[in-house]
Amino acid sequence: MRILLVGPPGAGKGTQATLLSEQLGVEHISTGDIFRAHVEGETELGQQVKKYLDAGALVPDEVTNAMVAQRLTEEVCRGGFLLDGFPRTLSQAEALEALLRNRDCEIDTVLAFDVPEEQLVQRLLARGRADDTEEVIRHRQRLYDRETAPLLDFYADRLVTVPAVGSVPEVMTRALDALRTRA
Ligand code: AMP
């Protein structure tokens, strides 16, 4: 199973991605987690991307695409994966399609997490991550609308919308049901 999770910041993608990948036995690949680990580890990549994470800006596509290409080995493709936080731009989606076509493993399903906008800021402020100040949150949300929301059209043929309001187990059950409808 090869799945993408798409949704605005604060939709609960990270939490659900962890649970769903465990349930489904597939690799969880979160570009945000990978970047944060590099920043914490003060690696060369971490030093390169820290300013983007701090500002809630997108890391340049070529950096992000190269990192994902490294993670999506043929073995990972065969075993299945769940991508969380990538792609975030049309150009990333196109790069991903080309990479997967090359590896002969296409995305089966795109889960679009849907949450009313007024709930998003509240959830993020409650989370309290370093990049969760109100100003940075608003910036990330504008970027989502401008850069990431067009992916919903790009993936229209594989898209399933999951209402992501409710408890964590409720949303997980809905997501698993949505995946079953696609199987
Ligand atoms: P996330 O954990 O998905 O909210 O990502 C945290 C931060 O990592 C984002 O605000 C970006 O700075 C960076 N990031 C994560 N994924 C991507 C991506 N696909 N493209 C560019 N930047 C990304």
Side-chain angles (χ1 to χ4, degrees), residues 15-153:
T15 306
Q16 293 295 334
T18 303
L19 293 170
L20 290 170
S21 55
E22 276 168 19
Q23 290 278 327
L24 301 166
V26 297
E27 178 112 347
H28 173 200
I29 301 175
S30 157
T31 43
D33 284 351
I34 301 172
F35 283 137
R36 274 186 293 278
H38 277 279
V39 171
E40 272 155 38
E42 296 179 1
T43 68
E44 206 179 314
L45 177 64
Q47 285 168 8
Q48 199 184 341
V49 302
K50 183 176 187 309
K51 60 176 182 288
Y52 300 104
L53 270 79
D54 286 347
L58 292 179
V59 173
D61 284 345
E62 58 276 18
V63 176
T64 309
N65 291 343
M67 190 184 78
V68 171
Q70 243 182 15
R71 288 296 291 257
L72 280 181
T73 58
E74 288 190 17
E75 199 187 333
V76 170
C77 280
R78 271 196 303 276
F81 57 82
L82 190 157
L83 271 172
D84 150 25
F86 181 92
R88 252 181 167 87
T89 64
L90 275 179
S91 112
Q92 290 180 4
E94 278 156 8
L96 178 66
E97 288 294 287
L99 174 79
L100 294 180
R101 217 173 295 127
N102 225 323
R103 304 235 197 292
D104 204 15
C105 74
E106 309 269 312
I107 298 292
D108 311 303
T109 306
V110 178
L111 291 179
F113 278 37
D114 191 32
V115 182
E117 195 172 331
E118 62 275 13
Q119 286 204 12
L120 295 172
V121 176
Q122 293 312 319
R123 284 195 193 185
L124 289 170
L125 286 172
R127 184 172 71 176
R129 210 169 72 188
D131 57 348
D132 283 340
T133 64
E134 194 155 349
E135 192 193 336
V136 174
I137 289 171
R138 289 197 193 288
H139 180 62
R140 296 212 311 272
Q141 239 132 23
R142 275 197 303 275
L143 268 183
Y144 175 82
D145 291 339
R146 197 176 69 211
E147 304 286 344
T148 311
L151 295 182
L152 303 179
D153 283 336

